[in-house]
């Protein structure tokens, strides 16, 4: 290393080394992680639904909150979900819900509003989605 | 390596300036719904390529602008990474404040932050140009620009404005709605604005401004850069996928309109540049 270069190195504040090093580490981790996901995540999207709450509201409706989880490896947009209230084996009221985006391995919250206060079981059905 | 307090405090002030620059430049994107979705759905290989290509660009930008004075290539590389770090932290804080960091996979979170921190890093490195507290310091670009530097500066401005507009659906809608003659008119208007802006800047900064033909040549070169960068940005956002060639070209021309304004504005911010 020449004397000039040594001088230049000496002029670099410690904080610059720390921030530059941390930034470099984050940069390469994110690029590497993104590349790895780009090359390995090739499976289709798949969905799991979980009811998180059923609440009777003062206006006479019943709101059923649920989680949509994309357990697949591809993100989707415009996901359409049909939520059906079950009266025993019989299908009751149905609501079609549109979910804008669900990233891979991620969840989104949604709520369906029904006017039938009796049924206790809920069925979820994936109708369609778009690949972004 | 300096461990004395005043030197590190000066750098910390530069970092704070970089954070503010990142915030101002990336806030419109952070408040754009399409960007939230795009972070989760972007093609991972395109994102990795764009991030990788951004590194030499940020290093060069640190040389031409930067959030603190630099003296060597190593200094510029360190500042480029520091700008990335500051941008990442800024985007994380703002997105958390906007309740956009929710139950999502690490992949989606990384995508969201990476997509936003790319334009934010540009803002961080332009911070010195916006909030320079050393009015007596001679702008570095005036001394070292040259043709390549001038094109680079225009490219950064074009890229920045294109990144702000490209995620929205409007570019596609405009491209669908316009007649090819209107697309040609947009291209001519963009080019004319760029040429006139470059001429106005040189008239202001140079004692001996070049001839109109020189500015026309520079304008064509700059507009070429705007077209190429607009094509790349549209490809990055997946807006060229499955498109017919004519539709794709019209989208590129539409996006190159704000890009050429950005290119002219960047030259205005950086001031005149002498030929080398």
């Amino acid at each position: 290393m020449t004397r000039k270069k040594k001088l230049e190195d000496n002029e670099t504040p410690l904080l610059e080394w720390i921030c530059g090093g941390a930034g470099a580490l984050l940069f390469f981790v994110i690029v590497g992680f993104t590349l790895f996901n780009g090359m390995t995540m090739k499976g289709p999207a798949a969905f799991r639904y979980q009811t998180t709450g059923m609440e009777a509201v003062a206006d006479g409706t019943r709101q059923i909150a649920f989680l949509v989880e994309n357990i697949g490896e591809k993100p989707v947009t415009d996901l359409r979900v049909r939520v059906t209230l079950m009266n025993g084996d019989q299908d009751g009221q149905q609501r079609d819900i549109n979910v804008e985006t669900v990233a891979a391995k991620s969840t989104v919250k949604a709520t369906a509003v029904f006017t039938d206060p009796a049924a206790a079981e809920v069925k979820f059905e994936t109708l369609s989605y778009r690949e972004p | 390596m300096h461990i004395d307090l005043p030197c590190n405090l000066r750098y910390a002030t530069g970092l704070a300036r970089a954070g503010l620059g990142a915030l101002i430049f990336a806030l419109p994107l952070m408040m754009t719904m399409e960007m939230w979705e795009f972070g989760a759905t972007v093609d991972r290989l395109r994102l990795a390529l764009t991030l990788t290509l951004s590194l030499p660009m940020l290093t060069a930008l640190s040389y031409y602008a930067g959030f603190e004075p630099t003296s060597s290539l190593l200094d510029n590389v360190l500042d480029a990474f520091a700008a990335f770090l500051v941008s990442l932290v800024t985007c994380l804080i703002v997105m958390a404040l906007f309740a956009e960091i929710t139950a999502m996979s690490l992949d989606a979170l990384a995508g969201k932050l990476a997509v936003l921190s790319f334009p934010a890093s540009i803002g961080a490195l332009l911070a010195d140009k916006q909030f320079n507290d050393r009015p007596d310091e001679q702008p570095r670009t005036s001394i070292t620009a040259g043709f390549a530097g001038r094109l680079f500066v225009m490219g950064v401005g074009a890229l920045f404005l294109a990144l702000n507009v490209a995620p929205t659906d409007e570019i596609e809608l405009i491209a669908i709605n316009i007649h090819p003659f209107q697309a040609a008119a947009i291209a001519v208007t963009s080019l004319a604005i760029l040429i006139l802006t470059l001429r106005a800047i040189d008239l202001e900064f140079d004692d001996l401004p070049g001839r109109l033909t020189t500015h026309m040549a520079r304008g064509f070169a700059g507009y070429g850069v705007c077209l190429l960068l607009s094509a790349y940005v549209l490809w990055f956002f997946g807006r060229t996928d499955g498109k017919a060639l004519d539709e794709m070209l019209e989208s590129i021309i539409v996006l190159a309109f704000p890009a050429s304004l950005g290119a002219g504005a960047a030259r205005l911010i950086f001031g005149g540049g002498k030929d080398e």
Side-chain angles (χ1 to χ4, degrees), chain B residues 29-200:
Chain B
L29 283 173
M30 287 193 253
M31 298 179 88
T32 303
M33 193 177 77
E34 285 89 344
M35 284 301 279
W36 309 337
E37 290 166 11
F38 181 68
T41 58
V42 58
D43 183 299
R44 280 350 197 197
L45 295 179
R46 290 183 198 189
L47 179 60
L49 177 72
T50 304
L51 283 176
T52 308
L53 290 176
S54 75
L55 184 58
M57 189 203 73
L58 293 177
T59 305
L61 191 57
S62 170
Y63 171 72
Y64 284 112
F67 56 84
E68 55 125 19
T70 52
S71 58
S72 65
L73 176 64
L74 176 70
D75 237 6
N76 288 315
V77 172
L78 282 175
D79 278 4
F81 281 128
F84 182 75
L85 175 74
V86 167
S87 305
L88 214 60
V89 172
T90 306
C91 292
L92 182 67
I93 292 170
V94 174
M95 295 308 279
L97 286 174
F98 290 165
E100 267 307 306
I101 306 289
T102 51
M104 61 175 75
S105 64
L106 196 59
D107 176 53
L109 178 67
K112 201 173 256 192
L113 290 178
V115 160
L116 287 168
S117 61
F118 172 45
S121 302
I122 297 176
L125 286 167
L126 288 175
D128 198 52
K129 289 281 171 198
Q130 304 165 76
F131 318 113
N132 193 347
D133 55 358
R134 302 177 302 278
D136 298 334
E137 188 181 290
Q138 194 175 11
R140 280 167 277 173
T141 38
S142 304
I143 309 159
T144 54
F147 182 67
R150 199 180 287 123
L151 270 188
F152 173 76
V153 164
M154 282 198 274
V156 169
L159 188 62
F160 179 73
L161 223 60
L163 278 170
N164 267 280
V165 182
T168 60
D169 290 333
E170 280 75 5
I171 295 293
E172 214 168 340
L173 277 175
I174 294 169
I176 288 169
N177 289 336
I178 57 173
H179 189 272
F181 290 154
Q182 286 171 302
I186 291 172
V188 172
T189 309
S190 309
L191 180 64
I193 289 173
L194 188 57
I195 290 170
L196 289 174
T197 310
L198 296 181
R199 184 154 176 83

Side-chain angles (χ1 to χ4, degrees), chain A residues 8-17 19-20 22-24 26-28 30-31 33-35 37-39 41 75 77 100-101 103-107 132, chain B residues 1-3 7-8 11-12 15 33 37 40-41 44-45 47-48 51-52 55 68 71-72 74-75 78-79 81 84-85 88 103-108 114:
Chain A
E8 280 172 353
D9 283 354
N10 287 340
E11 283 163 8
T12 307
L14 174 66
L15 190 60
E16 186 169 354
W17 282 106
C19 292
L26 267 174
F27 180 85
F28 289 116
I30 286 182
V31 171
F33 183 65
T34 308
L35 260 179
N37 283 337
M39 288 188 288
M41 292 173 78
T77 57
E100 218 153 293
T101 309
K105 311 281 182 202
S106 298
T107 57
Chain B
M1 188 186 300
H2 262 307
I3 52 169
C7 182
N8 284 287
Y11 187 76
L15 280 181
M33 193 177 77
E37 290 166 11
T41 58
R44 280 350 197 197
L45 295 179
L47 179 60
L51 283 176
T52 308
L55 184 58
E68 55 125 19
S71 58
S72 65
L74 176 70
D75 237 6
L78 282 175
D79 278 4
F81 281 128
F84 182 75
L85 175 74
L88 214 60
M104 61 175 75
S105 64
L106 196 59
D107 176 53

Side-chain angles (χ1 to χ4, degrees), chain A residues 75-120:
Chain A
V76 299
T77 57
D78 292 334
L79 170 70
R80 284 175 62 232
V81 182
R82 177 161 293 163
V83 188
T84 309
L85 284 183
M86 301 298 291
N87 295 312
D89 289 343
Q90 299 286 310
D91 285 1
Q93 279 187 344
Q94 290 185 334
R95 296 289 182 263
D96 287 354
I97 290 169
N98 202 57
V99 181
E100 218 153 293
T101 309
V102 194
K105 311 281 182 202
S106 298
T107 57
V108 169
K109 285 180 195 165
T111 301
V113 181
F114 295 92
T115 50
D116 178 2

Side-chain angles (χ1 to χ4, degrees), chain A residues 4-74:
Chain A
K4 193 186 168 202
K5 271 189 179 167
K6 270 183 191 166
L7 272 173
E8 280 172 353
D9 283 354
N10 287 340
E11 283 163 8
T12 307
L14 174 66
L15 190 60
E16 186 169 354
W17 282 106
I18 294 170
C19 292
L25 184 72
L26 267 174
F27 180 85
F28 289 116
V29 165
I30 286 182
V31 171
F33 183 65
T34 308
L35 260 179
F36 174 76
N37 283 337
M39 288 188 288
T40 55
M41 292 173 78
K42 295 198 186 293
F47 304 95
R48 190 160 55 198
Y49 302 96
Q50 188 194 338
T51 309
T52 54
M54 283 195 195
E55 238 178 305
V57 184
D59 62 3
T61 60
R62 194 147 60 114
Q63 301 191 352
I64 298 183
F66 61 99
L67 276 181
V68 183
E69 185 181 5
N70 182 355
I71 52 172
E73 296 182 337
K74 279 202 175 138

